């Protein structure tokens, strides 16, 4: 590793040589080709990369700056502080904060030129009042709940909401959006119902003469399976990082995983028969084996629930993790093979002809790929490769 490949984001400044051997490599060319593939699929619709939860573990600021370079039209994050961090890092492009807001946060949105999600008439009142006090205009996207019951005005009250939103002096209604609850499924019944409810609200707006520049609903599942839901803009999250949102989703857009999680062997030993490994002594062998210890654990987001199932790549081969996954260490059974200190270990990604995917870890941990990616702790350094 040379210094240019290192990013200090989320990690103390130390020299490249002393860097923790456990790190994430983010392949920027993969991000770029995934972005292009999504853009090709979405035609003339704008692209809003969704970069919440540290850009799905890939590093918020770096990925945002890269998306800005690639020509993304808008960025989406979950929370106010994510938006502020991007502004403080010099990101100039429009940013929509997707989550629910509280009244006392509104001035910070306006001062940082962040687009607000307005999810009720009450919130619109608060936004208008805050904007008036600041002698500014607030840019909002109206959130319609078409069938998820998190935030947003219910589709059956959407007409009144839209009509009211256009009556404020200090609010610019730039967009209207909704969110799919099940668009990566093989059964799209609920998704089509949501799409119909969204279209009804938009038809009302059009007939009433309300001009809404950015109408959007599609996440990764929608982009893959419902081109008719593109509207003016699409909101890819996980797909941009080269991971499919579910096992059954149609893979209509070819993408490559951008993230590789690597570590190195820091210890080699021989384990004698009947000498248990790790907390709780849940694993032991009746024959002698060779094993290596790797400096990664659940404190990095390598889930303890993968105990008994996880495998890693070493010398181009898959080997099982044995004993309980600890906070900072795992032990790998290499049976009769050889390995040495400093040998590269791949936790997620390719080595030689073998691959361990984010979906594999999700299966071992009994969760979804999203949770694997977003839980890789910020103490794991991120390294960016072109
Ligand atoms: C997270 C999120 C997305 C992106 O979802 P993916 O399934 O990762 O594509 C899009 N829109 C909203 C509102 C979200 O919260």
């Amino acid at each position: 590793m040379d210094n240019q490949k290192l990013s200090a984001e989320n990690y103390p400044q130390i020299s490249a040589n002393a860097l923790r051997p456990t790190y994430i490599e983010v392949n920027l060319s993969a991000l770029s080709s995934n972005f292009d593939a999504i853009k090709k699929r979405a035609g003339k619709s704008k692209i809003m990369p969704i970069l919440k939860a540290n850009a799905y573990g890939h590093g918020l600021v770096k990925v945002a700056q890269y998306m800005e370079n690639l020509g993304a039209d808008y960025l989406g994050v979950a929370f106010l502080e994510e938006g502020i961090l991007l502004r403080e890092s010099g990101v100039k492009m429009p940013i929509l904060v997707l989550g629910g807001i509280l009244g006392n946060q509104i001035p910070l949105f306006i001062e940082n030129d962040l687009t607000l999600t307005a999810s009720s008439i009450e919130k619109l009142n608060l936004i208008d009042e805050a904007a008036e006090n600041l002698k500014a205009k607030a840019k909002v996207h109206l959130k319609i709940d078409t069938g998820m019951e998190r935030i947003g005005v219910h589709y059956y009250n959407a007409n009144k909401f839209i009509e009211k939103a256009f009556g404020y002096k200090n609010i610019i209604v730039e967009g209207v959006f909704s969110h799919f609850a099940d668009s990566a499924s093989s059964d799209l019944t609920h998704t089509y119902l949501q799409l119909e409810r969204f279209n009804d609200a938009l038809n009302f707006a059009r007939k009433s003469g309300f001009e809404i520049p950015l109408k959007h609903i599609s996440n990764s599942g929608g982009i893959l399976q419902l081109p008719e839901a593109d509207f003016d803009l699409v909101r890819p999250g996980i797909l941009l990082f080269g991971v499919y949102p579910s096992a059954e989703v149609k893979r209509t857009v070819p993408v490559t995983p951008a993230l590789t999680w690597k570590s190195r062997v820091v210890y080699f030993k021989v384990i004698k028969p009947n000498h248990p490994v790790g907390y709780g002594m849940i694993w032991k062998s009746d024959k002698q084996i060779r094993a290596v210890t790797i400096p990664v654990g659940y404190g990095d987001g390598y889930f303890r629930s993968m105990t008994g199932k996880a495998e890693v790549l070493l010398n181009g081969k898959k080997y099982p993790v044995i004993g309980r996954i600890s906070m900072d260490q795992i032990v790998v059974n290499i049976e009769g093979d050889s390995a040495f200190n400093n040998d590269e270990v791949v936790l997620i990604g390719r080595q030689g002809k073998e691959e361990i995917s984010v979906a594999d870890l999700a299966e071992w941990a009994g969760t979804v790929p999203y949770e694997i990616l977003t839980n890789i702790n910020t103490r794991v350094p991120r390294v960016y490769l072109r």
Side-chain angles (χ1 to χ4, degrees):
M1 278 183 298
D2 60 66
N3 263 316
Q4 274 135 28
K5 289 180 182 167
L6 295 177
S7 159
E9 194 178 81
N10 301 319
Y11 205 72
Q13 296 274 358
I14 53 173
S15 83
N17 288 336
L19 183 72
R20 186 171 170 210
T22 300
Y23 61 97
I24 294 291
E25 263 177 22
V26 178
N27 180 344
L28 294 173
S29 343
L31 281 185
S32 160
S33 60
N34 297 343
F35 180 84
D36 289 345
I38 292 168
K39 207 170 164 59
K40 195 169 156 207
R41 161 58 276 289
K44 29 184 217 346
S45 298
K46 294 177 156 51
I47 313 280
M48 176 192 282
I50 302 298
L51 305 184
K52 57 200 182 188
N54 201 23
Y56 291 59
H58 295 66
L60 173 59
V61 172
K62 265 281 188 230
V63 174
Q65 288 166 341
Y66 195 63
M67 289 300 138
E68 196 166 32
N69 282 341
L70 289 180
D73 303 280
Y74 224 114
L75 294 177
V77 293
F79 301 130
L80 170 63
E81 53 270 37
E82 294 172 324
I84 292 176
L85 175 63
L86 290 179
R87 287 289 180 249
E88 284 172 352
S89 311
V91 173
K92 298 273 189 297
M93 59 192 295
I95 300 172
L96 173 63
V97 177
L98 301 158
I101 56 168
L102 291 172
N104 60 359
Q105 298 177 314
I106 296 171
L108 282 167
F109 275 91
I110 299 171
E111 286 159 9
N112 286 284
D113 189 25
L114 299 168
T115 308
L116 295 110
T117 291
S119 53
S120 68
I121 290 175
E122 184 211 339
K123 308 266 176 181
L124 282 172
N125 290 339
L126 294 171
I127 294 168
D128 187 58
E129 195 184 306
E132 168 126 53
N133 290 340
L134 290 168
K135 300 196 170 24
K137 297 262 186 276
K139 225 175 7 172
V140 308
H141 287 209
L142 307 177
K143 180 76 187 277
I144 313 292
D145 184 345
T146 55
M148 185 138 188
E149 301 294 342
R150 295 196 307 195
I151 60 167
V153 170
H154 288 121
Y155 65 94
Y156 42 85
N157 294 322
N159 294 0
K160 211 171 67 202
F161 178 50
I162 292 169
E163 194 160 33
K164 178 92 178 147
F166 277 88
Y168 292 92
K169 277 213 301 289
N170 307 295
I171 290 180
I172 300 164
V173 181
E174 182 192 56
V176 173
F177 75 111
S178 190
H179 189 50
F180 286 136
D182 200 26
S183 63
S185 166
S186 52
D187 178 355
L188 294 173
T189 314
H190 185 73
T191 309
Y192 280 115
L193 182 62
Q194 286 194 268
L195 185 58
E196 190 183 317
R197 290 166 173 173
F198 190 54
N199 267 317
D200 286 347
L202 298 180
N203 285 338
F204 165 81
R206 191 168 35 79
K207 281 190 202 129
S208 314
F210 300 126
E211 177 100 32
I212 306 163
L214 297 177
K215 302 169 283 294
H216 49 106
I217 190 167
S218 229
N219 52 1
S220 294
I223 293 165
L224 291 165
Q225 305 201 112
L226 286 97
E228 63 270 54
D230 285 353
F231 296 99
D232 304 302
L233 176 152
V234 294
R235 306 191 305 262
I238 201 158
L239 191 63
L240 190 64
F241 301 102
V243 176
Y244 291 98
S246 71
E248 76 253 39
V249 76
K250 283 198 223 119
R251 303 188 170 197
T252 58
V253 179
V255 292
T256 322
L259 178 147
T260 302
W261 193 357
K262 289 183 174 172
S263 188
R264 289 184 186 279
V265 171
V266 293
Y267 202 78
F268 170 89
K269 68 344 208 346
V270 171
I271 302 178
K272 288 195 164 164
N274 296 314
H275 283 63
V277 174
Y279 287 115
M281 301 88 67
I282 61 166
W283 192 95
K284 64 175 191 250
S285 170
D286 53 13
K287 59 180 203 295
Q288 179 166 296
I289 60 152
R290 294 170 168 195
V292 291
T293 304
I294 318 300
V296 67
Y298 64 76
D300 297 304
Y302 197 77
F303 286 119
R304 186 173 179 274
S305 54
M306 302 190 297
T307 294
K309 301 188 181 123
E311 295 179 323
V312 303
L313 297 175
L314 172 61
N315 296 321
K317 238 176 107 174
K318 283 187 184 171
Y319 292 104
V321 175
I322 51 174
R324 285 243 169 84
I325 292 171
S326 298
M327 189 186 293
D328 316 294
Q329 306 187 64
I330 57 174
V331 179
V332 172
N333 182 1
I334 59 168
E335 296 277 356
D337 291 348
S338 299
F340 298 91
N341 274 277
N342 225 36
D343 279 356
E344 183 189 88
V345 172
V346 169
L347 310 167
I348 295 176
R350 288 180 175 280
Q351 195 186 53
K353 290 193 174 61
E354 292 286 349
E355 181 175 14
I356 290 175
S357 67
V358 177
D360 290 333
L361 271 75
E363 198 184 309
W364 300 332
T367 184
V368 288
Y370 296 83
E371 196 177 5
I372 299 294
L373 287 174
T374 58
N375 274 279
I376 302 173
N377 202 290
T378 50
R379 82 170 173 173
V380 180
R382 269 72 171 167
V383 173
Y384 295 87
L385 307 179
R386 288 214 171 240

